[in-house]
Amino acid sequence: MNCWRWLKQRTENLQASDGRRVFTMDRLHHRSAWVLTAALCSACAGTAVAPPIDRSATPTVMGDDGLATTRQARKAIDEVARQAPHPAGFEELLTVTGSLSDTPLYTDSRADLLIDGPATYAAMHEAISQATRYVYLETYIFADDEVGQKFAVALMEKVAAGVAVRIIYDSIGSFGSSEDFFERMTEAGVKLIEYHSLNPIDGGNPLDANHRDHRKLLVVDGVVAFTGGVNFSNTYASSAPSQPTQVDLKEGWRDTHVAIYGPAVAGFQKTFQHQWRAQGGELADVPDDRTEPQAAGDALVAILSSAGGDGVESSIYRGYLEAMQVARERIWITQAYFAPDEEFLEQLQQAARRGVDVRVLVPGFSDSNLVLHASRSRYGQLLKSGVKIYENTTSMLHAKTAVIDGVWSTVGSSNLDYRSFLHNDEVNAVIFSAPFGEQMEAQFLKDIKHASEVSLQDWKKRPVTDRIREFFSWTVEYWL
């Protein structure tokens, strides 16, 4: 994601979808435009490219019997690859995904799809109620409201029963929660870390404001792990309506989470532990994890995590690109904040041109109008290449998922924008499974029944004011 290339594309090639040039940098004579450009490139400076990927090496594979031999690993990969319409390309994708992950590929695992907050919270409370050794929780928003307080009580009760509870919450994401809310948990024995506090009095650093922990991760006793887009807030307390309703940004958000069982849980546990230690936390007093990996299903699971601001290309971003390159039949994306860079967009367009059914479901309204217009600024080029775009109109869409060729699926915290790819800590589960992919596709088809398809003809007729908003969104989208 080269900054100079991005600026050049956004300033020299930006056109209205009917072909007329709207603005160019030559017309922006104001000094402020150049100041902003310089600041933008300064922010981009030092962004490194990920090291080369070894596409021939067999990735490390773990199953219920432990570390797989090279022969066992090849067999597990071949079994999944055969489910894809392009087995050879998909086998290479599995190898690449393994090299992108900080953990092995995990076989014999199961993924349960959880739609919206109520289903997610119910499954989480059930898992927490059965905890006997530890609960690891990492979240962007831990709200001091009915939902957050209910989880806080459940976690404090577990500490009283001798369970170790560790929580990482983001300082900005949880800014609205009172200090008393977290102090009550601390006094009850819950150990918490406030990620990148901005308060210098408490040792925080305001310069860390742009680097956030956007992950949503819950691991219980090495038995189950949860990840996806759902935070701990009343916003998610009710399910999204299935019929058009009055827009309400405070409730009924449409989101997706996933519960993982089997050997893959160990990978999510390792991901949390690494983050906890990186923030100065100790785990010496956490009971040893004696959970033996148990086969729970036939899915192969990879865990892609990224650390914002580390100067390394996001593994989640690269994972998407690699998967789109091998797609032969379908790329269906559901995305809350869709404002990726030109390389990502080009992969979508190339796939559509070679006959792949490319569909993108995005919000029709948003809690961030800047992101909404940044997203819409991509519509013209995508529609021209044959990509189908749908805008959700029944509720606030917050899911971050994709399914490719019915075999490769991802559910996680990462949006498809500069913030998630460059600035935030994120985590996504990648599930290689035809049965799970079938569930993902069924949910996507259900979602677009209540969405409006955007046609190129109608898009060309949009108001000039919208075109102006879309253009100027690029000046700030790097930080959105």
Side-chain angles (χ1 to χ4, degrees), residues 10-314:
R10 302 298 283 175
T11 57
E12 294 181 2
N13 299 329
L14 189 70
Q15 296 181 344
S17 59
D18 61 359
R20 295 194 310 273
R21 187 176 298 276
V22 179
F23 289 105
T24 67
M25 188 60 80
D26 292 335
R27 294 184 180 180
L28 295 177
H29 298 299
H30 299 295
R31 183 183 300 271
S32 59
W34 288 106
V35 171
L36 180 58
T37 300
L40 197 56
C41 287
S42 175
C44 292
T47 300
V49 177
I53 296 172
D54 186 350
R55 297 174 180 273
S56 60
T58 300
T60 302
V61 175
M62 294 283 289
D64 64 329
D65 292 328
L67 183 65
T69 65
T70 300
R71 182 177 179 180
Q72 291 171 329
R74 295 307 323 170
K75 180 180 179 181
I77 290 172
D78 289 345
E79 287 178 354
V80 176
R82 279 196 293 268
Q83 302 173 26
H86 180 46
F90 202 78
E91 183 174 336
E92 181 177 316
L93 173 61
L94 283 160
T95 298
V96 169
T97 304
S99 70
L100 291 172
S101 179
D102 293 328
T103 62
L105 295 176
Y106 295 93
T107 62
D108 306 313
S109 298
R110 186 181 96 229
D112 290 352
L113 195 60
L114 300 170
I115 301 302
D116 292 339
T120 301
Y121 294 153
M124 286 179 169
H125 275 294
E126 176 64 20
I128 291 171
S129 71
Q130 297 182 22
T132 59
R133 294 194 306 281
Y134 60 86
V135 177
Y136 294 151
L137 173 61
E138 185 175 359
T139 185
Y140 182 62
I141 299 174
F142 201 151
D144 183 7
D145 58 19
E146 184 177 354
V147 165
Q149 291 165 9
K150 185 177 180 181
F151 272 100
V153 169
L155 294 170
M156 289 188 288
E157 288 176 349
K158 279 295 159 181
V159 172
V163 176
V165 177
R166 302 291 181 268
I167 299 175
I168 303 172
Y169 66 94
D170 188 79
S171 179
I172 288 183
S174 304
F175 183 78
S177 299
S178 68
E179 292 185 9
D180 289 344
F181 175 65
F182 296 112
E183 287 177 358
R184 286 195 298 273
M185 284 189 278
T186 299
E187 292 170 358
V190 177
K191 294 190 177 181
L192 302 99
I193 289 177
E194 180 182 6
Y195 188 88
H196 284 187
S197 169
L198 304 184
N199 187 352
I201 297 177
D202 296 331
N205 183 0
L207 297 179
D208 286 335
N210 202 39
H211 181 186
R212 311 315 320 159
D213 187 345
H214 194 246
R215 297 174 181 176
K216 290 88 175 168
L217 181 60
L218 174 67
V219 184
V220 179
D221 280 355
V223 174
V224 59
F226 299 85
T227 194
V230 178
N231 287 290
F232 295 88
S233 165
N234 283 350
T235 300
Y236 308 84
S238 58
S239 295
S242 59
Q243 298 296 331
T245 185
Q246 183 177 356
V247 173
D248 188 348
L249 291 177
K250 296 182 179 180
E251 62 180 21
W253 284 28
R254 167 67 188 88
D255 217 325
T256 301
H257 228 68
V258 66
I260 304 289
Y261 298 87
V265 177
F268 289 100
Q269 175 181 300
K270 177 188 283 189
T271 299
F272 176 90
Q273 290 173 335
H274 176 80
Q275 184 79 317
W276 180 265
R277 292 190 177 103
Q279 300 306 311
E282 296 290 338
L283 292 169
D285 56 341
V286 176
D288 291 338
D289 184 8
R290 301 185 181 89
T291 303
E292 292 294 331
Q294 298 292 323
D298 298 324
L300 193 155
V301 176
I303 302 163
L304 298 183
S305 61
S306 61
D310 64 358
V312 177
E313 181 181 71
S314 164

Side-chain angles (χ1 to χ4, degrees), residues 431-448:
I431 301 105
F432 298 94
S433 165
F436 184 78
E438 185 177 350
Q439 294 179 52
M440 290 281 288
E441 290 190 335
Q443 183 60 46
F444 184 89
L445 293 174
K446 180 179 179 181
D447 286 334
I448 64 172

Side-chain angles (χ1 to χ4, degrees), residues 116 236 240 249 252-256 333-337 360-367 390-401 415 447 451:
D116 292 339
Y236 308 84
L249 291 177
W253 284 28
R254 167 67 188 88
D255 217 325
T256 301
I333 295 173
T334 301
Q335 182 54 231
Y337 305 104
V360 181
L361 174 63
V362 292
F365 57 89
S366 176
D367 58 337
Y390 302 83
E391 288 192 341
N392 183 67
T393 56
T394 61
S395 58
M396 171 59 198
L397 179 67
H398 193 253
K400 304 102 168 43
T401 68
N415 297 306
D447 286 334

